[in-house]
Amino acid sequence: MKAGQFGKVAVLMGGASAEREISLLSGKAVLAALQERRVEAFAFDPAATPIWRLAELGVARVFNILHGGAGENGTIQGALDLMGIPYTGSGVLASALAMDKLRSKWLWQAVGLPTPRGLRVCDADEGPAVIAALGLPLIVKPVREGSSIGVSKVTRREAFAAAFAQAAGPAGQHEVMAEEFIAGTELTAAVLGERVLPLVRIEPPAAGYDYENKYFTDAVRYHCPAGLESAKEAEIGRAVKEAFDALGCRGWGRADLILREDGRFFLLEMNTNPGMTGHSLVPMAAKAAGLDFAELVMQVLAEARCG
Ligand SMILES: Nc1ncnc2c1ncn2[C@@H]1O[C@H](COP(=O)(O)OP(=O)(O)O)[C@@H](O)[C@H]1O
Ligand SMILES: [Mg+2]
């Protein structure tokens, strides 16, 4: 598609979620790429201006690069559906499902896709039962947060209650889940249209692995191509596409998974509006597939749909 055929494009960025700052960085990069490709694009922050204004502004398409919260959980998608404005990424149902790691897991288990055993935790005193079911170590995390917020690894029984409290948040506002801990190599897989892009391997720092490292320091290294055997890479790619389709995702997305030493791999989650900053993983995978950042942005925009 040529730039002019897209009409006026609003880049949705910012928003009111915990991931607002990352979204602003992603949005800035996406906007610059669209303008470089001569698309008539402008920034729109739904935390500053009511989303309904888009209808009056004569917007033909939306590039939705909001991370977390209403922008990624189906809420904004519903508003755009009502206004009849096509938008990038998944629709209402898939966005809501993918935002929820526990219900994504149940769905993947139902269709036979590999994901760590996990369960819902309602109270801090369920520790003994959860540990009996999943063993130690285990992971405790909020069902619907991102960027490793509230994620902890529990290695001792006594640490379970504190991990629960951290995942639940100060007001106990978050639903909490526990998962068996999978030791292995962390991978991420970008989906673009019908394709799965080359896998990215995430190499944590040798000492003191802390989930915060991933986002707040550059001690973590990323490798793309990931260096897997091509048959394993292809097998993982097929599973990721099935996982994407099972949730009903569309356009683009990014799955996080862990590959164990024995060759088995486990899906952790699907992100429907993945990061698009200069350090982000989808642009890295696209580059390995021969797509520069602007071309990636144009391909995502071309897949914008409504309903
Ligand atoms: N079951 C698990 N086994 C091992 N590590 C995990 C597990 N679940 C989460 N992690 C670690 O926590 C990180 C964040 O978890 P993830 O489920 O991807 O949530 P989010 O990225 O939305 O915070 C993962 O990238 C991984 O490092
Ligand atoms: Mg993740």
Side-chain angles (χ1 to χ4, degrees):
M1 244 173 127
K2 289 269 169 358
Q5 295 172 263
F6 289 127
K8 199 166 170 184
V9 175
V11 181
L12 263 49
M13 62 172 94
S17 81
E19 294 168 90
R20 172 179 175 80
E21 295 306 319
I22 305 169
S23 168
L24 288 171
L25 291 175
S26 292
K28 211 176 143 195
V30 167
L31 182 61
L34 290 173
Q35 288 171 342
E36 175 194 321
R37 292 299 184 101
R38 304 266 176 272
V39 175
E40 187 192 348
F42 69 101
F44 188 96
D45 180 354
T49 311
I51 193 78
W52 310 110
R53 282 279 295 150
L54 289 175
E56 301 152 23
L57 292 169
V59 167
R61 270 168 195 255
V62 155
F63 196 114
N64 178 7
I65 197 65
L66 296 162
H67 303 319
E72 199 171 353
N73 72 9
T75 306
I76 295 263
Q77 287 76 4
L80 295 168
D81 284 344
L82 287 174
M83 290 186 281
I85 303 174
Y87 50 94
T88 56
S90 294
V92 171
L93 175 66
S95 298
L97 265 176
M99 178 58 72
D100 189 307
K101 296 185 179 83
L102 186 59
R103 284 152 191 94
S104 294
K105 174 186 301 298
W106 290 339
L107 199 123
W108 288 336
Q109 285 171 338
V111 296
L113 286 164
T115 174
R117 289 181 300 125
L119 41 87
R120 187 172 177 210
V121 186
C122 299
D123 200 283
D125 67 16
E126 288 172 32
V130 173
I131 292 165
L134 302 176
L136 284 175
L138 56 79
I139 290 278
V140 175
K141 58 186 166 186
V143 170
R144 288 178 293 272
E145 286 294 314
S147 301
S148 296
I149 295 164
V151 178
S152 28
K153 179 180 178 185
V154 173
T155 48
R156 297 172 302 115
R157 310 186 145 262
E158 307 77 62
F160 184 88
F164 175 86
Q166 203 183 341
Q173 69 272 41
H174 302 306
E175 190 181 4
V176 176
M177 64 189 282
E179 255 179 9
E180 62 177 321
F181 178 80
I182 308 291
T185 304
E186 281 198 47
L187 300 170
T188 197
V191 181
L192 178 61
E194 294 299 309
R195 306 165 65 188
V196 178
L197 300 179
L199 298 175
V200 177
R201 178 165 56 86
I202 299 158
E203 183 192 336
Y209 185 70
D210 167 353
Y211 297 123
E212 297 240 315
N213 278 333
K214 190 179 293 177
Y215 300 95
F216 302 115
T217 75
D218 45 23
V220 178
R221 291 169 58 186
Y222 301 98
H223 304 274
C224 189
L228 307 189
E229 274 176 36
S230 63
K232 182 55 74 179
E233 171 124 4
E235 182 192 350
I236 293 174
R238 283 192 298 276
V240 165
K241 186 59 172 48
E242 278 178 43
F244 183 87
D245 291 340
L247 296 175
C249 292
R250 108 186 143 209
W252 69 314
R254 203 198 79 217
D256 290 339
L257 53 126
I258 300 180
L259 173 61
R260 223 163 54 180
E261 201 79 50
D262 64 5
R264 287 182 64 190
F265 58 90
F266 299 83
L267 293 156
L268 293 183
E269 61 156 347
M270 184 69 70
N271 299 288
T272 50
N273 285 353
M276 284 288 275
T277 71
H279 310 287
S280 296
L281 303 177
V282 176
M284 195 183 295
K287 195 173 170 198
L291 292 175
D292 69 17
F293 188 86
E295 188 53 37
L296 168 65
V297 166
M298 294 299 276
Q299 289 199 14
V300 171
L301 185 64
E303 297 290 318
R305 299 282 181 278
C306 218

